[in-house]
């Protein structure tokens, strides 16, 4: 196998890993599986570095590699927005629950 063919296969595999990890991160955030996020964040960083690592020194990355990285960043941004909304909703639920407990714990 030629070096270019091997490089293309490796690049495609790293892109697939990146896309799979981004999808898992997004699904975990939407499902509220906060405990999975640190491991997925680490995997996402490793996958992104692997994509970048398949670019030969002194050469420009292939268009597919850049597109995958841009899409991953866009999805991570959306995921952060989802998490912020979930945190806001949780704070509102906690505040409401605290007020309810206070109302019932009052001694008349």
């Amino acid at each position: 196998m030629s070096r270019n063919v091997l490089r293309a296969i490796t690049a495609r595999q790293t892109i697939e890993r990146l896309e799979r990890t981004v999808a898992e991160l997004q699904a975990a955030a939407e499902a509220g599986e906060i405990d999975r996020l640190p491991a997925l964040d680490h995997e996402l960083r490793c996958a992104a570095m692997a994509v970048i690592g398949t670019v030969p020194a002194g050469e420009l990355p292939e268009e597919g590699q850049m597109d995958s990285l841009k899409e991953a960043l866009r999805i991570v941004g959306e995921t952060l927005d989802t998490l912020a909304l979930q945190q806001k909703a949780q704070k509102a639920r906690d505040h409401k629950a605290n007020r309810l407990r206070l109302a019932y714990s009052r001694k008349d």
Side-chain angles (χ1 to χ4, degrees):
M1 227 184 267
S2 76
R3 182 176 239 167
N4 289 337
V5 172
L6 200 54
R7 186 180 302 145
I9 291 170
T10 304
R12 186 178 26 232
Q13 289 173 339
T14 59
I15 289 171
E16 289 170 357
R17 176 184 174 198
L18 177 70
E19 292 170 349
R20 187 175 49 251
T21 304
V22 167
E24 288 180 33
L25 180 73
Q26 188 176 29
E30 289 173 355
E33 298 172 346
I34 304 299
D35 55 324
R36 288 187 58 210
L37 295 181
L40 288 169
D41 175 64
H42 178 74
E43 176 64 22
L44 178 64
R45 291 168 194 259
C46 292
M49 288 177 22
V51 169
I52 293 167
T54 61
V55 178
E59 293 183 24
L60 293 175
E62 294 179 18
E63 189 172 326
Q65 291 171 311
M66 292 305 293
D67 291 342
S68 293
L69 289 170
K70 288 177 188 176
E71 180 66 8
L73 287 174
R74 185 189 66 75
I75 293 173
V76 167
E78 288 177 0
T79 302
L80 289 173
D81 292 342
T82 299
L83 290 171
L85 288 173
Q86 287 178 354
Q87 284 180 331
K88 186 176 179 180
Q90 183 63 45
K91 283 183 182 181
R93 285 191 298 269
D94 291 347
H95 180 71
K96 186 177 180 180
N98 285 338
R99 289 189 61 172
L100 185 62
R101 277 192 291 257
L102 289 173
Y104 282 108
S105 66
R106 287 178 31 201
K107 295 180 181 179
D108 292 326

